[in-house]
Amino acid sequence: MSLLTSFSTKAPFFCAALLFGICLALSGQAVATPVLEANSAQPLVAVLPFENLSGAPAPLRQLREEMIKALRNQCGIAVLEEKALEDFMAAHRVRYVGGIDSELAVAFRQETGAQSVLITSFEFQDERVPLKICLTSRLVSTANPPIILWMDSVGLSGDDSPGLLGLGLIHDPAALRGKALARLASSLLETLEGRAVLPGSAGKFRPRIVFRSPVLAPGQPYVLAVLPFFNRSDRKNGGDLMALQFIKELARYEAFQLVEPGVIRQVLLRARIIMDDGLSLSDAAVLFSELRADLILSGKVLDYQESLAFSGSPVVDFSALLFEAKSREIVWASDSHNEGADGVYFYDWGKISTASDLASRMVRSVGSLIAQ
Amino acid sequence: MIIICNISHRFTLFPMEKCIVRYAIVLSYLLCLMLQGCSQPMGFYDPNMDFGSIHTVAVMPFANLTDQNKAHERVRDVFINALLASSPIYVLPPGEVARGISRTQVAESASPSVEDAQKLGATLGVDAIITGVVKEYGEVRSGTAQANVIAVSLRMMEVQTGKVVWAASASKGGINTKDRLLGGGGQPMNQVTEEAVRELVNQLFH
């Protein structure tokens, strides 16, 4: 009990110190905010309104409030006040909440004192049995350029762990939401405390066809930009969802420094790059120069389908292409296709119930091969 | 009918039976050759073409003759990756090919004329252009059995001369005797596609 009490009282300060340290270490050109830093003991995190990639109405406000609560209670993080965030967003006319560009990041730091911004994308929710929820969240520093400090996703289903006589089934949407948010908060805490471990990837999720050029040197540090994938699936925002999965999995490797998607979006808009059928070499040249990236990852999503019925399983199909800046050539190409029931033979043991979870495992496998 | 007699020494064949055995061996050999010929995929190679001189190719968008609206994109993606993965040939990114088509204003990108192919090849800086047609893609049914099937045809045009130097077809999947007798859904579509594409790539580099 005393141990628990001791941990619960010290954890917030410990996390705060670590978060502050990471922000300072990673943000080379960080703009100092002496007033706020002197007054506040904890680094401030601005939690942006959630981005809805589900293609359907979702209880985003409620989810965000619960997320803030989890961050405060579980991680001991100080969250920027609602009024200050609203004023800032109104002043800068911030409508896009799926990322931040460099200018906005600096403005955040200077005007609100937030050292980092939490960006969350709501992927999917199904309130029919079995319940499902999928979220992706990332913590981005307010440096110039903004750096992804942490990123993780969660895809849960109410029947993930049915247990004995179905006692483990979750029928309450609020309980599943709480579990998902707690898992995200726990992942953030692990990263802040330096306890995060690289998850393994199962062989059944390996891409079917792989090309790797010798130009792609293993272990060499690369600045990598992941473009939104071309969506040829029936799932709305399938391309954005797949790009987020790649960013999340590749950000785990020290060799890759991922460019914040908000920065990429800003460059694509400013350079008026419209890609109809993939990235052309001239567009790639512009992006390499503007983003100062060594690699650009692009791809196509052909299927991003949730399980349609109780007994069904999700299907994910995508191809990925990696371009290298110096050679201006494809240095990696892969083709992946999996279903949630792949390799499941006994009583749904090992079955994956959400497309988000399936995509995450498939991309993890691709990421580990790229990073090798 | 071969009569084998075991009299004083082991397994002796009489002269008549020896002759029958010889005929049977020759016949079975010819039958094997005929069957092998039937199983070989249809293909064309220009005997005067030096395929070693092809270093970069552009894979054009495939034509789709099926009722599956994404079939040609799926097959093209798998083919591009398989070609990159299993050959020394570099495949131009699809986005660059699309840009080339737009710049040269090729109307029929799935089956360009000789002039269009040459113009496109010069713009993209490739040695050859590959075009393709997806003729069958999806599920077939026969009675209670069902299976996935694919049929693809490809052609390679050399940019310098505009000549077709290679053409091949492959079809995979479908309902076999086992499916008819025991039922079953056959192989998954992506697996059938990969098999067909691998066969085409193998034909190109046989």
Side-chain angles (χ1 to χ4, degrees), chain A residues 208 210-211 232 277-278 280-282 300 302-303 317 319 323 329-330 333-335 337, chain B residues 70 73-74 76-78 81-82 84-85 90-91 93-96 98-99 190 194 198:
Chain A
R208 309 281 176 155
V210 173
F211 160 71
R232 300 286 187 263
D277 192 28
S280 69
L281 295 180
S282 57
K300 200 182 276 183
L302 295 163
D303 257 324
D317 187 341
S319 59
F323 294 80
E329 282 189 355
I330 297 170
S334 67
D335 209 83
H337 176 101
Chain B
K70 288 180 287 188
E73 286 194 48
R74 282 175 191 265
R76 186 189 180 211
D77 270 4
V78 175
N81 290 352
L84 276 168
Y90 179 72
V91 183
E96 186 63 11
R99 184 169 157 265
N190 64 308
E194 279 164 31
R198 277 186 209 282

Side-chain angles (χ1 to χ4, degrees), chain B residues 124-173:
Chain B
L124 295 171
V126 294
D127 304 312
I129 282 173
I130 295 177
T131 58
V133 183
V134 182
K135 293 183 281 193
E136 237 180 316
Y137 189 94
E139 211 173 69
V140 282
R141 285 171 185 272
S142 172
T144 54
Q146 61 176 45
N148 291 311
V149 67
I150 186 171
V152 192
S153 292
L154 297 182
R155 285 194 316 167
M156 184 190 272
M157 292 170 86
E158 195 205 2
V159 164
Q160 225 170 10
T161 57
K163 280 169 65 181
V164 175
V165 291
W166 171 75
S169 303
S171 60
K172 289 281 171 189

